[in-house]
Amino acid sequence: MVKIKLLLMIFILSLNNFSWAIEKDTVKYVNASLLTLINKAQPDSSFFQRLDERKYSDLTPIVRRYFTYSTGLAIAFQTNSRNISARWETESNKFGVNTTLIAQTGLDLYIRRNGQWVFAGVGTPNYGVNHQSKLVENMNDSLKECLLYLPLFTKVKNLDIGVDKDALLEALPVPFRHKIVVIGSSITHGASAGRPGMAYPARLNRALGFEFPNLGISGQCKLDAFLAHIAADTEADAFVLDVFSNPSPQQIEERLERFVAIIRKKHLDTPLIFLQTEVRDSGVFNEKIRKYEYEKRIAAELGIKKLEQLGYKNIYFVNPGMDLGTDHQATVDGVHPSDLGFERILDKLQPVLVKILHRHKIR
Amino acid sequence: MVKIKLLLMIFILSLNNFSWAIEKDTVKYVNASLLTLINKAQPDSSFFQRLDERKYSDLTPIVRRYFTYSTGLAIAFQTNSRNISARWETESNKFGVNTTLIAQTGLDLYIRRNGQWVFAGVGTPNYGVNHQSKLVENMNDSLKECLLYLPLFTKVKNLDIGVDKDALLEALPVPFRHKIVVIGSSITHGASAGRPGMAYPARLNRALGFEFPNLGISGQCKLDAFLAHIAADTEADAFVLDVFSNPSPQQIEERLERFVAIIRKKHLDTPLIFLQTEVRDSGVFNEKIRKYEYEKRIAAELGIKKLEQLGYKNIYFVNPGMDLGTDHQATVDGVHPSDLGFERILDKLQPVLVKILHRHKIR
């Protein structure tokens, strides 16, 4: 029995070597850290992170972990390869049940065609930490500008991009202008997008041609001072603030003014575009949730009014900021928008955002 | 050390007993098999299955397994409980990476309000086989008609519905008329719906008020004779046939006529509503996929023409049958529609279906 197992093992190992040898001959891997990173909030951090969480001593453990994630980041490169693949390593995670694994730990590739970023393929993860996947195959050999979104809900430890052995693969100059930093809840973080590039900040990134760093921290975006300090430290042409989804009505009342005051110390007149939170489908029949969510929205409205009374300028309040429609079919679980929810949100939000940004010559 | 472990164990066990005792006092469970089952394709089968796969000797192992799944089924009941919960047991599965776990192994509750089925809450599964979840809480105590969709991608071994101890919970008379049986690929099966009730047959079920048994078999719907025999054996007022997504162009050419002939032996004039397959986003840049998918769609068009030439009546061909729009943002992975994709499909498909069904006095 042991002998059979041993023989089987040798056979399997030899198979692995065999396929590996074939791939080695046809695929050339380049580490993503040699290419162009897009949508980074702060530059001085580990490559595959939005910011360096070690700079901040007062984060909660869960926020600290979230800031090690690759949420919203994308790699920009150009290649004339007919085939593009990837191998990447992520950290062991508890997977969410309301979001696909592709969105949580997978990759999402777009190629620029006639000025538009067009979906090309996903990197399919497995339930482990070492992933290898084709992204797209059998293309023509024209030179293509590529944008590869990284996982929304895990830390990426390493990423290699594979192209045909003889193909060109090189960094793309940053293909976006301006930087709109989005701070927010799980809705911003990307629950429950179908793939990494379908979270609403990523959709805005491609649609408007601006960088949209994603500082979503699921369930943890409660107007804490640490988050205001992070915003203050982050270069931005504007902030989009989904900061009324997670805090309680009381927290909104107590914390909003301090939150803005901290940001305003460094960002004297940067537009702060607050989004009213969604009307949650979880409150359609649940009277307690319905009342609580209503009180949150009222607290947000009053809070914004107070900011205006205090004389703060360039404060915007998009209300409704996340309009899911009226049929209660646009979330996965009563809270988190599906791609249908994000589409409905953007149908209303994007033109309003564009108008505000234009007013500030961000175009 | 052993002593501490033992004490800890006793403490934990006592905690468990404690919470169990509280729940036992406030929650009453009723087995779902005592309630009304909706969207069942054939009546003579295990309760939580679409049909009895043991009746068919020529199924492939994977199709045999799929037919043990609870795909498309729903439990109808009425209750005046303020809180509804569930505990259910599923089979150990390999989970798909392109669909949420909620859709694969979770539950999805709707409550009738002003004649409409309105989302009320999901049953959140875990990555194991024994699940327990609140569905909705803190409702008023009016009598409510409820529809609970079962998991799309697993076998349900048992399901208990929990309500307040003193509340009424009883079977609802079947709240739908007519039976439109949908046979199809993974797109019909429900990849990549966000929750069980968002697969397109389930959406049609609620929107039109007809039963829509779902005979989706991911990747396996290739115009095989066994599937035609199943259709022939299944009572239906009409069939919706997503049978051009999985087979090759050659298979379509070789098998379509036989497929229809077998069904027509039993269903002499039942409307057969064929859906042209989607234009796959996986073929935007992949020239091989683009060509192959184009050939499939041509084979489908020619096949339908031939059926008409052969004199078959009540054959409909909805083309495009699955219109995902033009922005390539409506699938999770280039193939499987997200809830956004299903919305776009139904925006076009539903009115066409209604028109065809009306013509046959199905209204």
Side-chain angles (χ1 to χ4, degrees):
Chain A
M1 194 57 195
V2 172
K3 247 192 193 164
I4 293 176
K5 272 193 190 163
L6 195 70
L7 281 171
L8 205 65
M9 213 169 198
I10 289 169
F11 175 66
I12 289 169
L13 282 173
S14 72
L15 275 181
N16 268 344
N17 284 336
F18 182 64
S19 73
W20 177 243
I22 289 178
E23 204 196 40
K24 261 207 327 219
D25 277 355
T26 58
V27 180
K28 168 177 73 180
Y29 283 105
V30 172
N31 195 270
S33 67
L34 301 172
L35 303 171
T36 306
L37 190 62
I38 303 293
N39 293 335
K40 204 167 173 70
Q42 297 182 4
D44 54 341
S45 60
S46 309
F47 190 75
F48 296 114
Q49 291 188 197
R50 304 174 273 178
L51 53 77
D52 185 353
E53 86 288 356
R54 293 165 303 180
K55 281 169 60 183
Y56 300 95
S57 60
D58 49 353
L59 305 181
T60 61
I62 187 163
V63 171
R64 186 170 297 284
R65 180 160 56 81
Y66 282 157
F67 279 135
T68 68
Y69 287 7
S70 57
T71 312
L73 300 177
I75 308 289
F77 57 94
Q78 52 188 345
T79 182
N80 59 358
S81 181
R82 292 179 184 275
N83 307 286
I84 306 176
S85 61
R87 57 187 189 197
W88 68 108
E89 187 185 354
T90 58
E91 206 154 61
S92 174
N93 271 56
K94 261 185 68 181
F95 302 116
V97 301
N98 61 5
T99 306
T100 70
L101 203 68
I102 288 176
Q104 293 183 66
T105 66
L107 305 172
D108 192 5
L109 180 69
Y110 296 77
I111 294 176
R112 187 134 69 168
R113 192 176 65 176
N114 305 324
Q116 305 283 320
W117 293 104
V118 178
F119 171 74
V122 293
T124 306
N126 55 56
Y127 281 84
V129 296
N130 286 297
H131 318 276
Q132 180 148 14
S133 174
K134 290 157 183 168
L135 297 171
V136 58
E137 296 181 290
N138 305 307
M139 296 190 289
N140 68 37
D141 62 357
S142 66
L143 189 64
K144 295 166 208 73
E145 296 175 306
C146 300
L147 188 65
L148 181 65
Y149 288 96
L150 304 189
L152 292 171
F153 287 93
T154 192
K155 177 183 168 83
V156 170
K157 291 175 151 183
N158 195 36
L159 167 63
D160 294 322
I161 294 172
V163 293
D164 300 341
K165 201 183 176 182
D166 303 325
L168 175 124
L169 170 58
E170 57 182 30
L172 189 68
V174 176
F176 303 105
R177 58 201 182 286
H178 306 302
K179 210 172 113 185
I180 317 300
V181 174
V182 191
I183 291 177
S185 69
S186 53
I187 299 168
T188 294
H189 200 151
S192 299
R195 53 189 206 228
M198 293 301 287
Y200 81 85
R203 290 193 59 179
L204 288 168
N205 170 223
R206 296 193 300 283
L208 302 188
F210 310 149
E211 284 196 75
F212 269 87
N214 181 333
L215 293 180
I217 44 175
S218 288
Q220 307 300 315
C221 189
K222 299 182 181 176
L223 294 165
D224 289 288
F226 68 74
L227 207 54
H229 287 296
I230 286 174
D233 293 350
T234 302
E235 269 187 52
D237 296 299
F239 287 94
V240 172
L241 299 158
D242 154 31
V243 294
F244 301 130
S245 296
N246 290 150
S248 68
Q250 290 68 29
Q251 287 173 331
I252 293 172
E253 196 186 328
E254 291 164 15
R255 297 179 178 183
L256 179 61
E257 195 187 320
R258 180 192 61 181
F259 187 82
V260 170
I262 294 171
I263 297 177
R264 273 286 175 258
K265 275 187 202 161
K266 298 273 189 75
H267 287 280
L268 304 182
D269 51 13
T270 308
L272 304 183
I273 306 165
F274 289 88
L275 308 185
Q276 177 61 294
T277 190
E278 62 176 46
V279 178
R280 293 195 182 182
D281 284 354
S282 55
V284 176
F285 292 99
N286 186 322
E287 298 183 337
K288 203 168 155 189
I289 290 181
R290 185 160 69 242
K291 180 166 177 291
Y292 180 78
E293 289 294 319
Y294 174 76
E295 288 167 358
K296 275 167 60 178
R297 296 196 302 277
I298 294 294
E301 285 179 25
L302 295 176
I304 295 288
K305 259 188 205 141
K306 191 156 174 218
L307 291 178
E308 286 161 358
Q309 286 162 358
L310 288 168
Y312 283 107
K313 300 297 177 204
N314 295 340
I315 302 279
Y316 297 91
F317 186 45
V318 187
N319 185 13
M322 303 174 166
D323 192 340
L324 295 173
T326 56
D327 64 0
H328 312 297
Q329 307 221 80
T331 74
V332 164
D333 52 10
V335 176
H336 299 100
S338 63
D339 284 351
L340 175 57
F342 286 125
E343 173 99 341
R344 291 182 182 177
I345 287 172
L346 287 175
D347 278 349
K348 302 279 181 73
L349 175 60
Q350 190 173 312
V352 177
L353 265 186
V354 165
K355 215 169 156 183
I356 295 171
L357 296 174
H358 276 197
R359 187 186 295 184
H360 292 274
K361 313 230 181 310
I362 301 165
R363 63 178 81 209
Chain B
M1 194 58 194
V2 171
K3 248 191 192 165
I4 293 177
K5 271 192 190 164
L6 195 70
L7 281 171
L8 205 66
M9 213 168 197
I10 291 169
F11 176 67
I12 289 169
L13 282 173
S14 72
L15 275 181
N16 268 344
N17 283 335
F18 182 65
S19 72
W20 177 244
I22 289 179
E23 203 196 37
K24 261 205 330 218
D25 278 356
T26 59
V27 179
K28 167 176 73 179
Y29 282 104
V30 172
N31 195 270
S33 66
L34 301 171
L35 304 170
T36 306
L37 190 62
I38 304 292
N39 294 335
K40 205 167 171 71
Q42 296 183 4
D44 54 341
S45 60
S46 310
F47 189 76
F48 296 114
Q49 291 188 197
R50 303 174 274 178
L51 53 79
D52 186 353
E53 86 289 355
R54 292 165 303 179
K55 282 170 59 183
Y56 299 95
S57 60
D58 48 355
L59 306 181
T60 61
I62 187 161
V63 171
R64 185 169 297 283
R65 180 160 56 80
Y66 282 156
F67 279 135
T68 68
Y69 287 8
S70 57
T71 312
L73 300 177
I75 307 290
F77 58 94
Q78 53 188 344
T79 182
N80 59 358
S81 181
R82 293 179 184 274
N83 306 286
I84 305 176
S85 60
R87 55 186 190 198
W88 68 107
E89 186 185 354
T90 58
E91 205 154 63
S92 175
N93 270 57
K94 260 185 70 179
F95 303 115
V97 301
N98 61 5
T99 306
T100 69
L101 202 69
I102 288 175
Q104 293 183 66
T105 66
L107 306 171
D108 192 6
L109 181 69
Y110 296 78
I111 294 176
R112 189 135 68 168
R113 191 175 64 175
N114 305 324
Q116 304 284 320
W117 293 103
V118 178
F119 171 74
V122 294
T124 305
N126 55 55
Y127 280 84
V129 297
N130 286 296
H131 317 275
Q132 180 148 14
S133 173
K134 290 157 182 169
L135 297 170
V136 59
E137 297 181 290
N138 304 307
M139 296 190 289
N140 67 39
D141 63 356
S142 66
L143 189 65
K144 293 166 209 75
E145 297 175 306
C146 301
L147 188 65
L148 181 65
Y149 288 97
L150 304 188
L152 293 171
F153 287 93
T154 191
K155 177 183 168 83
V156 169
K157 292 175 150 181
N158 195 36
L159 167 63
D160 295 323
I161 293 171
V163 292
D164 299 341
K165 201 182 176 184
D166 303 325
L168 174 126
L169 170 59
E170 57 183 31
L172 187 70
V174 176
F176 303 105
R177 57 201 182 285
H178 306 301
K179 209 173 113 185
I180 317 299
V181 175
V182 191
I183 291 176
S185 68
S186 54
I187 300 169
T188 294
H189 200 151
S192 298
R195 53 189 207 228
M198 293 301 287
Y200 81 86
R203 290 194 59 179
L204 288 168
N205 170 223
R206 295 193 301 283
L208 302 188
F210 308 150
E211 283 196 76
F212 269 87
N214 182 333
L215 293 180
I217 43 174
S218 288
Q220 307 300 315
C221 189
K222 299 182 181 177
L223 293 165
D224 289 288
F226 67 74
L227 206 55
H229 287 296
I230 287 173
D233 292 351
T234 302
E235 268 187 54
D237 297 298
F239 287 95
V240 171
L241 299 158
D242 154 30
V243 293
F244 301 130
S245 297
N246 291 150
S248 68
Q250 290 68 28
Q251 287 172 331
I252 293 172
E253 195 186 329
E254 290 164 15
R255 298 179 178 183
L256 179 61
E257 195 187 320
R258 180 192 61 180
F259 186 82
V260 170
I262 293 170
I263 297 176
R264 273 285 175 258
K265 275 187 200 162
K266 299 273 189 74
H267 287 280
L268 303 183
D269 50 14
T270 309
L272 304 183
I273 306 166
F274 289 88
L275 308 185
Q276 177 62 294
T277 190
E278 62 175 46
V279 178
R280 293 195 183 183
D281 284 353
S282 54
V284 176
F285 292 100
N286 186 323
E287 297 183 337
K288 204 168 156 187
I289 291 181
R290 184 159 70 241
K291 179 167 179 288
Y292 180 78
E293 290 295 320
Y294 174 76
E295 287 167 0
K296 274 166 62 177
R297 295 196 303 276
I298 294 294
E301 286 179 25
L302 294 175
I304 295 289
K305 261 189 202 141
K306 190 157 177 217
L307 292 177
E308 286 162 359
Q309 286 162 0
L310 288 168
Y312 282 108
K313 300 295 176 207
N314 294 341
I315 303 279
Y316 297 91
F317 185 46
V318 187
N319 185 13
M322 302 175 167
D323 193 339
L324 296 174
T326 57
D327 65 359
H328 312 296
Q329 306 220 81
T331 74
V332 163
D333 52 10
V335 176
H336 299 100
S338 63
D339 284 352
L340 175 58
F342 286 125
E343 173 99 342
R344 291 183 182 175
I345 287 171
L346 288 175
D347 278 348
K348 302 281 181 72
L349 175 61
Q350 191 173 311
V352 177
L353 265 186
V354 166
K355 215 168 156 184
I356 295 170
L357 296 173
H358 276 198
R359 187 186 294 184
H360 292 273
K361 313 232 181 308
I362 302 166
R363 64 178 81 207

